[in-house]
Amino acid sequence: AGDVRASSARDSGASSSGSRRRSEKKESMRTVTAVFLGLGILALAAAVSVEVQSHSWMVDIFGKQNPYRALNDLINGIFFSEATRRGFEERFGEELGYYMVTYLRDLIAGILVYYIAAGVWHIMIYHVLRERIFKGQEDQIPTAATIWDQICLAQASVFCYAALPVFSSWLVENGYTRAYFYVDEIGGWSNYLAWTVAYFVLVEIGIYWVHRTLHTNKFLYKYVHALHHKYNSAATLSPWASIAFNPLDGIAQASPYVVAMFLVPCHYITHLLMLFFTGIWSTNIHDAVPGNIEPIMGAKYHTVHHTHYHYNFGQIFIYCDKFWGTLKTPEEIRQLRMAKKK
C-alpha cells in the first residue's frame, strides 16, 4: 500500500510539474506575443500621431500632386545616396531607374525585417526562455539543418517578394488604386478608422481564401504550396520558416493587401505599416510554441495547420476559419485521434 501511495504521489507530482511547465510556457508566449502586437500597434499609432499633429508640414514636404512618390523618394534617400539614385536614373531612365532603386530598397528592407525578427524570436525562445518552454521537450527544438534549410529558401524567395511592394507603389503613384495620403482626403478620422477596418477585413478574407485555395487546388498545392508544408511538425517549424515559401506562394498570399486597395480607400502609410507588421507576425505563428490568445490566430492554431493541412487558414484572426468551418484547436485534433483509435 505504501508503494502504491508513493507511486501515486510521484505520478501526481509529475503531472503537477508538467502542468506548471505548460502553464509557464503559455504565459511566456502570451507575454512575448503581446510585446509583438504592442509594437505593431505602437507603430500604427506613431504614424497616426504624426498625421494628426503635423498635416501642414507634411504637405510642405510631400506636396499634393504625388505625395506617394515623394515619400518613396524620401525613404530611398535613407538607403541610397543622391549620387547612387541619380546614377540609376541616368543609366536606365528616370522611371525605370527610380523603380529599380525602390526594388533594391524593398529587398534590403525585407531581408532586414526577416533576419532581425526571426533572429530576435530565435534568441528569445531557444535561449532566453528555453528552460521554461522546452524543458523535457528538447526534441521539439528544430535542428540546425532544418533552420538552415528555411533560411536558404526564404533568402532565395525574398528576391521575388520585393517586387510586389514595388508594383503596389507603381499602382498607387499612378492613381490606379483608391489609396490616399492625407486623412482629410477621406473626410476625417472617423472615416479613416472605418475604411481601415474595412480594408483589413477584406485583406483577412482575401488571405484566407487564397491560402485555402492553395490547399484545395491539387495543382497549386503540389507545385506551389507544398514546398512550405515540408515543415510539417512542431520540430520542423521555427521563426525562420516565416517566409520560407515558393516565391509565387508568398506573393499570392500577400496580394490581397494590393487587391483590397482597388476596392476600398486605404491610407498609404497604414498600408505600408500593415505589410511591415505582417512580416513580423509571420515569424510568431511559425515558432510552434502554443499560447491561448484568442481570437488571435497564433502558433497554437498555425501549428495545427502545418500538421493537418486542412484547417486554420487565417492570418491574424480566427474569425474566417470559424465562419467557414475550418477552425480546429489542438484539443479537437487530439479528440479526433482518440476517436479514430477507438
Side-chain angles (χ1 to χ4, degrees):
D3 290 341
V4 171
R5 284 195 297 271
S7 176
S8 177
R10 283 195 301 271
D11 291 345
S12 176
S15 176
S16 176
S17 176
S19 178
R20 281 197 303 272
R21 283 199 301 270
R22 285 193 295 271
S23 178
E24 288 175 353
K25 185 176 180 179
K26 289 179 179 179
E27 190 59 40
S28 298
M29 291 319 300
R30 285 195 198 101
T31 302
V32 177
T33 301
V35 169
F36 266 70
L37 285 172
L39 288 174
I41 292 169
L42 285 174
L44 182 58
V48 169
S49 66
V50 166
E51 186 84 36
V52 168
Q53 297 169 14
S54 48
H55 175 78
S56 60
W57 72 256
M58 288 188 71
V59 173
D60 291 339
I61 294 175
F62 301 115
K64 283 282 190 179
Q65 185 176 1
N66 197 337
Y68 317 103
R69 179 131 182 180
L71 173 64
N72 280 319
D73 255 334
L74 180 66
I75 299 172
N76 288 350
I78 296 172
F79 286 81
F80 303 101
S81 68
E82 177 74 16
T84 299
R85 288 180 286 143
R86 297 290 82 85
F88 271 88
E89 292 178 7
E90 288 171 8
R91 182 167 185 178
F92 300 103
E94 184 176 348
E95 282 297 295
L96 181 58
Y98 162 74
Y99 284 113
M100 288 179 71
V101 170
T102 303
Y103 167 79
L104 291 174
R105 175 204 79 190
D106 289 340
L107 176 63
I108 294 170
I111 290 172
L112 287 174
V113 168
Y114 174 65
Y115 283 101
I116 292 172
V120 169
W121 205 253
H122 180 109
I123 292 169
M124 287 295 293
I125 66 174
Y126 299 137
H127 296 281
V128 178
L129 301 174
R130 182 188 180 106
E131 284 297 307
R132 295 181 67 180
I133 295 174
F134 295 105
K135 188 174 182 180
Q137 301 179 56
E138 285 77 8
D139 59 334
Q140 295 300 300
I141 299 175
T143 64
T146 296
I147 290 174
W148 179 245
D149 179 79
Q150 292 166 355
I151 291 172
C152 289
L153 178 54
Q155 183 61 70
S157 296
V158 77
F159 288 97
C160 296
Y161 297 157
L164 183 64
V166 178
F167 180 57
S168 169
S169 294
W170 179 82
L171 290 170
V172 170
E173 290 173 14
N174 287 279
Y176 295 118
T177 72
R178 300 184 66 184
Y180 62 94
F181 197 84
Y182 300 112
V183 171
D184 61 0
E185 297 176 56
I186 203 65
W189 290 99
S190 58
N191 287 346
Y192 163 83
L193 291 172
W195 284 119
T196 298
V197 170
Y199 173 76
F200 180 76
V201 169
L202 287 175
V203 169
E204 281 282 284
I205 293 172
I207 291 175
Y208 171 86
W209 279 106
V210 168
H211 193 183
R212 184 169 174 174
T213 301
L214 285 165
H215 279 262
T216 56
N217 184 293
K218 292 181 180 180
F219 177 86
L220 291 176
Y221 183 80
K222 181 176 181 180
Y223 294 104
V224 179
H225 195 52
L227 184 62
H228 184 62
H229 272 273
K230 66 180 178 177
Y231 313 120
N232 58 6
S233 69
T236 57
L237 285 168
S238 84
W240 302 98
S242 60
I243 59 170
F245 293 89
N246 177 313
L248 293 178
D249 189 352
I251 290 172
Q253 293 198 57
S255 63
Y257 282 101
V258 179
V259 174
M261 288 195 294
F262 288 93
L263 304 176
V264 296
C266 176
H267 186 243
Y268 184 58
I269 296 176
T270 302
H271 160 75
L272 294 178
L273 286 170
M274 283 186 181
L275 281 174
F276 174 81
F277 178 69
T278 298
I280 298 175
W281 179 246
S282 186
T283 302
N284 170 50
I285 64 174
H286 283 92
D287 65 12
V289 180
N292 294 318
I293 51 173
E294 282 79 357
I296 304 297
M297 178 67 73
K300 162 183 166 178
Y301 289 102
H302 199 69
T303 302
V304 168
H305 172 74
H306 272 265
T307 58
H308 289 80
Y309 303 149
H310 301 298
Y311 308 113
N312 305 348
F313 300 104
Q315 180 195 206
I316 304 292
F317 291 101
I318 65 175
Y319 297 124
C320 286
D321 283 285
K322 198 165 186 178
F323 183 80
W324 280 293
T326 53
L327 187 68
K328 282 286 185 291
T329 65
E331 292 75 20
E332 289 173 320
I333 292 297
R334 281 193 288 270
Q335 289 171 5
L336 286 173
R337 284 177 179 167
M338 290 176 65
K340 285 182 180 179
K341 288 180 180 179
K342 292 178 180 179

